[in-house]
Amino acid sequence: MFTLLKISPHHSKRLSLHSPFTTTLAPSPSPSPSPPAASPTAIVSLILTSTNPQTLTQTLHSPTLPWTPQLVDQIIKRLWNHAYKALHFFTVLSYHPTYSHSLSSFDHAVDLAARLRDYKTVWTLVHRMKSLRLGPTPKTFAIIAERYASAGKADRAVKLFLSMHEHGCGQSLTSFNTILDVLCKEKKVEKAYNLFKIFRGKFKADVVSYNVIANGWCLVKRTGKALEILTEMVDTGLEPNLTTYNIMLKGYFRAGQIEEGWRFFLEMKKRKCEMDVVTYTTVVHGFGVVGEIKRARKVFDGMIKEAVLPSVATYNALIQVLCKKDSVENAVVLFEEMVRKGYVPNLTTYNVVIRGLCHAGEMERAMEFMGRMKDDECEPNVQTYNIMIRYFCDAGDVEKGLDLFEKMGTGDCLPNLDTYNILISAMFVRKKSDDLLVAGKLLIEMVDRGFMPRKFTLNRILNGLLLTGNQGLAKEILRLQSRCGRFPRQFKL
DNA sequence: GTAGGGTTAG
């Protein structure tokens, strides 16, 4: 263990008993005669069903629509999994006679274009932001860098950071730490460490910089390297903080070094380090995932004695490991117990329980929990649907999976890449030739919505269609394949 | 949107 120094007092995060999301748009008190409804839902479905761009533009430019940055952002968020539609909406509104986009809407648009790997559009947007004097800000650069890195272009992410100032956005210690973190999260810790060594003097690396690098090593399970860098930090006179310790602790458990993790935890306690709910949640989860349910429970029960209250995340951690390593019944018991104590389960809680029930073959009960989500003001999200669809398909109930998928198309939760992959795979378990056609249609639809199919998926469908004599659809997909080296199409701003 | 805990499959 590196030299433990005193940690300055740190307030534990407050217990979060309420879901932070209240997405309802304030309804106008008295309904006016006949304006287009301003609810995000109505506008989103208008955009999704519209076939005539001109009419859509007219409607969106209608003076009765009270555009605000919040409303625009909400709509973009709802259209997130239909990136072209979302960008089209953004574009139409940029020609609005009186409304003009906010910085955050620009950032969302940049994020969408970058996800499509349409970098030309990204830079057009950046220049437009600049001419409107809205940005780009360090956040804009963080978004682009993250997308570069996740597209396997870590070097471009670094270059972007190095050229920020050329776009009128000064570098700082914060932006330095951000680029290091982006690289680390993509498991490019070596690259991050090299950058760190070059610039730590220039930017006056602080405890955050060191924590980011240590966490980077932990993410690739190199706890020894993490300790090394932290020792170096202490040698330069910087003191570790609670985050530092929590990073190391998580690192040990993630690397499967359970006893080292436990010893580290005991050492923290012995040296009277501040311990917070994150510390305890890490240990509860760490023990749980290796099946040490009793020890997980003991730590969970013990934290209250130390005057650290579990958070919803702590419950989620324990509920998840009970599902996996104990029984879903005990998980449900704990779920009810947390509710009794006044905690409000969040999306993660529900998704964890629903997955547990599905895994135990309890599809009916899983559906019940899904219906129960509304009571806690959380709607099922893509992950919820993906879980249900996957398990319905696995259980051979492909029809029910498709039913849920249909529901997503019309509702306010659009399918994402995973949804398509799950369904397309499911289309290959039965040997019905119709299924192959459905798979083909799904493939075309996903590309249309800005999702790249894997080569494997594409070839599998193509071969199937050719073998079963569906030349027409196969040809259509072949046309897609020819464009698959890059992203299907560039967005027209 | 500067760092740490909870959802995803071995």
Side-chain angles (χ1 to χ4, degrees):
Chain A
M1 190 185 241
F2 57 94
T3 327
L4 282 158
L5 297 173
K6 266 180 245 128
I7 293 179
S8 47
H10 180 291
H11 290 288
S12 299
K13 278 192 189 139
R14 265 191 320 234
L15 186 67
S16 67
L17 286 172
H18 295 283
S19 158
F21 300 105
T22 42
T23 48
T24 39
L25 188 76
S28 45
S30 57
S32 16
S34 63
S39 82
T41 309
I43 299 171
V44 165
S45 82
L46 188 79
I47 295 167
L48 287 175
T49 55
S50 145
T51 47
N52 182 339
Q54 256 171 348
T55 323
L56 182 65
T57 304
Q58 271 173 14
T59 316
L60 294 178
H61 284 192
S62 152
T64 50
L65 280 176
W67 293 112
T68 61
Q70 292 74 26
L71 181 59
V72 174
D73 286 352
Q74 267 181 0
I75 289 167
I76 294 176
K77 215 175 147 189
R78 298 269 280 265
L79 291 170
W80 201 253
N81 289 324
H82 213 325
Y84 297 114
K85 291 257 185 199
L87 281 172
H88 180 66
F89 164 70
F90 178 88
T91 306
V92 169
L93 266 201
S94 26
Y95 295 109
H96 191 281
T98 54
Y99 180 76
S100 73
H101 278 307
S102 68
L103 170 60
S104 85
S105 302
F106 264 102
D107 278 344
H108 288 317
V110 165
D111 202 1
L112 281 162
R115 195 188 75 191
L116 294 172
R117 305 189 188 184
D118 178 357
Y119 302 111
K120 202 174 164 207
T121 300
V122 169
W123 287 104
T124 307
L125 287 165
V126 168
H127 290 304
R128 204 170 281 179
M129 287 169 91
K130 203 191 287 185
S131 59
L132 291 167
R133 305 195 187 287
L134 281 171
T137 65
K139 183 180 168 184
T140 316
F141 284 99
I143 290 166
I144 304 171
E146 192 179 302
R147 292 292 178 185
Y148 273 144
S150 77
K153 300 174 193 299
D155 288 325
R156 287 192 71 172
V158 173
K159 252 190 207 157
L160 181 72
F161 165 72
L162 295 174
S163 68
M164 272 171 73
H165 59 280
E166 289 163 26
H167 298 92
C169 186
Q171 292 153 328
S172 64
L173 174 58
T174 305
S175 58
F176 178 53
N177 290 339
T178 302
I179 186 70
L180 294 178
D181 195 42
V182 163
L183 295 172
C184 286
K185 296 269 159 68
E186 285 300 322
K187 310 267 173 96
K188 297 282 196 284
V189 57
E190 301 272 5
K191 215 172 269 282
Y193 188 50
N194 288 334
L195 194 67
F196 172 81
K197 280 188 292 194
I198 297 170
F199 290 111
R200 63 174 145 195
K202 179 178 175 193
F203 291 110
K204 299 193 168 43
D206 64 354
V207 61
V208 176
S209 326
Y210 282 95
N211 283 349
V212 164
I213 299 290
N215 189 47
W217 288 119
C218 285
L219 287 173
V220 296
K221 305 186 183 184
R222 308 260 312 255
T223 48
K225 294 292 281 181
L227 275 185
E228 227 174 77
I229 189 84
L230 291 175
T231 308
E232 210 178 298
M233 172 178 87
V234 172
D235 288 345
T236 66
L238 287 167
E239 290 190 12
N241 58 19
L242 180 54
T243 301
T244 315
Y245 293 97
N246 287 339
I247 285 168
M248 271 324 296
L249 192 60
K250 178 71 191 175
Y252 283 125
F253 281 105
R254 185 189 289 112
Q257 297 171 284
I258 308 304
E259 296 314 322
E260 283 88 341
W262 179 236
R263 275 202 296 276
F264 193 87
F265 175 79
L266 292 177
E267 190 71 18
M268 284 172 75
K269 201 180 247 182
K270 197 170 115 195
R271 301 200 188 199
K272 300 261 189 297
C273 284
E274 179 82 19
M275 323 253 279
D276 68 357
V277 61
V278 177
T279 317
Y280 284 96
T281 305
T282 303
V283 179
V284 167
H285 189 248
F287 275 143
V289 293
V290 294
E292 299 257 23
I293 297 297
K294 276 197 185 126
R295 290 172 91 180
R297 282 260 191 201
K298 218 170 158 185
V299 176
F300 183 81
D301 295 334
M303 63 191 288
I304 302 171
K305 287 188 209 102
E306 305 285 340
V308 182
L309 284 179
S311 65
V312 172
T314 320
Y315 274 98
N316 293 349
L318 191 52
I319 288 172
Q320 189 217 146
V321 298
L322 287 177
C323 287
K324 282 190 173 164
K325 303 287 178 179
D326 197 57
S327 75
V328 71
E329 296 311 326
N330 287 336
V332 171
V333 168
L334 188 63
F335 177 92
E336 304 295 359
E337 188 181 305
M338 78 181 268
V339 172
R340 230 179 13 256
K341 289 191 175 164
Y343 289 87
V344 180
N346 61 19
L347 250 168
T348 305
T349 324
Y350 276 103
N351 285 344
V352 165
V353 172
I354 288 170
R355 180 177 294 107
L357 286 168
C358 287
H359 198 77
E362 304 251 19
M363 298 304 291
E364 305 271 309
R365 278 171 81 197
M367 286 293 271
E368 276 167 35
F369 266 89
M370 198 169 156
R372 206 170 142 179
M373 293 174 82
K374 279 184 215 57
D375 305 345
D376 290 319
E377 284 172 37
C378 59
E379 292 291 328
N381 68 351
V382 195
Q383 276 108 333
T384 321
Y385 280 102
N386 287 351
I387 294 162
M388 294 298 305
I389 292 173
R390 161 164 304 162
Y391 280 97
F392 270 134
C393 291
D394 280 0
D397 219 338
V398 178
E399 295 309 320
K400 280 196 180 143
L402 284 169
D403 282 349
L404 279 178
F405 176 73
E406 294 295 323
K407 207 175 277 175
M408 297 176 79
T410 59
D412 42 26
C413 175
L414 294 173
N416 67 7
L417 178 63
D418 293 332
T419 321
Y420 285 103
N421 282 331
I422 291 163
L423 271 174
I424 289 175
S425 304
M427 290 303 133
F428 285 87
V429 288
R430 305 187 294 191
K431 299 288 174 210
K432 282 168 66 176
S433 64
D434 273 5
D435 285 355
L436 211 49
L437 288 175
V438 175
K441 295 221 173 82
L442 286 168
L443 184 88
I444 290 169
E445 185 179 288
M446 74 188 275
V447 172
D448 207 45
R449 294 183 176 206
F451 297 116
M452 272 299 255
R454 289 180 300 226
K455 282 221 166 61
F456 169 77
T457 309
L458 204 137
N459 288 331
R460 188 148 78 140
I461 294 174
L462 210 52
N463 291 337
L465 287 173
L466 290 171
L467 279 171
T468 51
N470 285 299
Q471 316 296 341
L473 193 54
K475 258 187 200 155
E476 212 172 315
I477 291 171
L478 272 170
R479 274 199 294 274
L480 282 182
Q481 193 184 24
S482 63
R483 301 182 304 191
C484 263
R486 269 171 293 131
F487 226 85
R489 61 180 186 207
Q490 196 201 310
F491 187 78
K492 282 258 188 305
L493 274 171

